[in-house]
Amino acid sequence: MKRSVLALLPVSLIVMAAGCSSTPEGEQTVKSPDGQVVVNFNLTKSGQPEYSMVYKGDTIVRPSTMGFRLKEGKNLTDGFRLVSVTTEDADEVWKPVWGENDSIRNRYNSMTVALEQGDRKMNIEFRLFDNGMGFRYIFPEQKTKEFDITEEDSKMAMGGDYTAWWIPGDYDTQEYEYTKSKLSEIRSYSTKEQMANVSQNVFSPTGVQTSLMLKTDNGKYLNIHEAALVNYPAMHLNLNDTTMTFTSWLTPGIGDVKAVVKTPFSTPWRTVTVGDKATDILASNLIYNLNEPCALDDTSWIKPVKYMGVWWEMITGKSNWSYTDAENFDLATFDYSAAKPHGNHGANNENVKRYIDFAAANGFDQLLIEGWNVGWEDWFGKQKDYVFDFVTPYPDFDIKALNDYAHSKGIKLMMHHETSGAVENYEKHMDAAYDLMNKYGYNAVKSGYVGNFLPKGEHHYSQWAVNHYLNAVKKAADKHIMVNAHEAVRPTGLARTYPNLIGNESAMGTEYQNMSPAHVTILPFTRLQGGPMDFTPGIFEMDLSKVNPNNKEHKRATIANQLALYVTMYSPLQMAADLPENYAKKMDAFQFIKDVPVDWSETKYIDAEPGEFIVAARREKNKPNWFVGGVTNAEGRDFSLRLDFLTPGKTYKATIYADAENAHYDTNPAAYKITTRDVTATDVLDLHMAPGGGFAISLIQK
Ligand code: NOJ
Ligand code: CA
């Protein structure tokens, strides 16, 4: 794949000061373009690389050492000498294929320190932005052809006992609710049942995952993550809660080498985003800016998607993914034509057509169908060869006729590939599976990696697994297929380089039916920092026993809150997750889901606090219309929304979808009221959000 000339040329205004190189002595300093973020680098007496970071005079990261432990030979932790220092600055504007804004400025100053330990070479590059910094290790071509890394030793010594919104370090899942605590309190929470329940591979009582959201005692907001995770294990952070120092903790694969690095090689970036306001973190493009430009020649086939799915009825247990109740099932020998169906298979022709009709009539782009393919009789936790083949439909799913029917109504079907974590089996079948998609006109796949482990004891976030996910995305790009991978590694901005990666899950989404209302006020500060999430909002019937009498769960959100998520949780891939019959009962509220765009020219985060509330406004791509969403945690709150982001002098028709006075996520979730009025940029809307509630507003220019 070649780098796109198109993606680089028309908009990029790159001003690169000629790189300046010097023979250095003592401490080296690099500052952000506005001078407010400062990184100092030096070698300690024993030749250990060490850096610190200051933002607006506050020490964010105290002096922290860097390096690697190796399986063989001297560790790359000390004994270095500084050979040269190179500085550079850049200022460019690039246009994402899809996004929250139609153009993104990438302005930074960089400093690369070239280090040597004997005849081994290791460089460290720092990039300083006005809102944070990233650093990465670069191994130039050298006599040593391969470094076998047993652990990365990047420290981040925090400037204080910050407040954190965190999930525990785990090699195989991010599907947790967040805990808010002081760093010093993480240990005390980590024994709680809530974590033990979900986790398979929690590695330390003070280990956490990134993206990690933090707040300092004097009210600065920080976020620690990584960017451009390629051919390397995902990084966790392990806290020394006496010194408040994080140390990188890579996800292991098989054996004691966590990362095999063949020179030349660059690691992912280790990032710290900073801001005075919580909204600064939400508006940050630091992670995308640290990723490589678009690698695809042609991106014209990549389109944001609004979709429905034959999905929620299986999640809630109303129907089933499988076709039979077969026992002692073996896909290789099982004869479906002779099998007795259990009669509750969701993805049957008639039911799928019903969804196609509803989705097409309401302007959706696609319909996801899960359980269309053979193998669901025995899949969970199965690493066996041939758990699924991804090409054989169930007897009651006519793949050709259903695709033809959908296409005749102007929508596409969305493919589903649940791998059961059997990655090797998926790789074997991937070409044929993608070819089948091309044959029938599918252009998007939701893939999934359910399972506590991957084959041979590999983990979901190991170097091997990380390589698999990206290869699947690259191979899909060659066949013009968009990918939305669930249970894959959490995103690190790679969608800039491969914009056919239109979604990931990698966090607790709607499939967990009763998360705390605070969850959606935290995700944009954490999980969404690296890229969009297929959160699947839009549940209208919160009492799930109404969908399936055996389901005693209750969603903890109001309908207005569910509408707001289409704005507050940015994604180019948005699902209307509930059943057609539940929408049909409330078509007035459903109108917002029909109207809300999935691609934007401009975004303004109006106000927010992690774990409490988020209010965001976005302008539809190449249109004058704005959409606003507000969500709150379990506390109700009032919000005065100034409409000063609208174009002065223009009138807009505002449709306001708000919680009714007596709405409550638990006791009265369906109480909403819809009002319309004309507004201008000078208006202020006084809005009320119920506990677990929110508001959604469309502003259509007249
Ligand atoms: C977990 C995914 O997150 C969910 O969306 C999907 O329905 C199931 N796996 C089955 O593939
Ligand atoms: Ca999942």
Side-chain angles (χ1 to χ4, degrees), residues 175 310-311 314-315 321 368 370 376 379 388 416-420 446-450 486-487 505 507 511-512 534 536:
E175 296 182 5
V310 181
W311 178 72
M314 284 90 90
I315 291 287
W321 281 271
L368 164 76
E370 298 201 1
W376 288 91
W379 68 282
F388 289 111
H416 183 232
H417 292 166
E418 173 56 65
T419 70
S420 174
K446 170 179 170 180
S447 56
Y449 297 88
V450 166
H486 280 222
E487 296 90 27
E505 186 193 40
E511 67 184 26
Y512 290 88
D534 184 29
T536 72

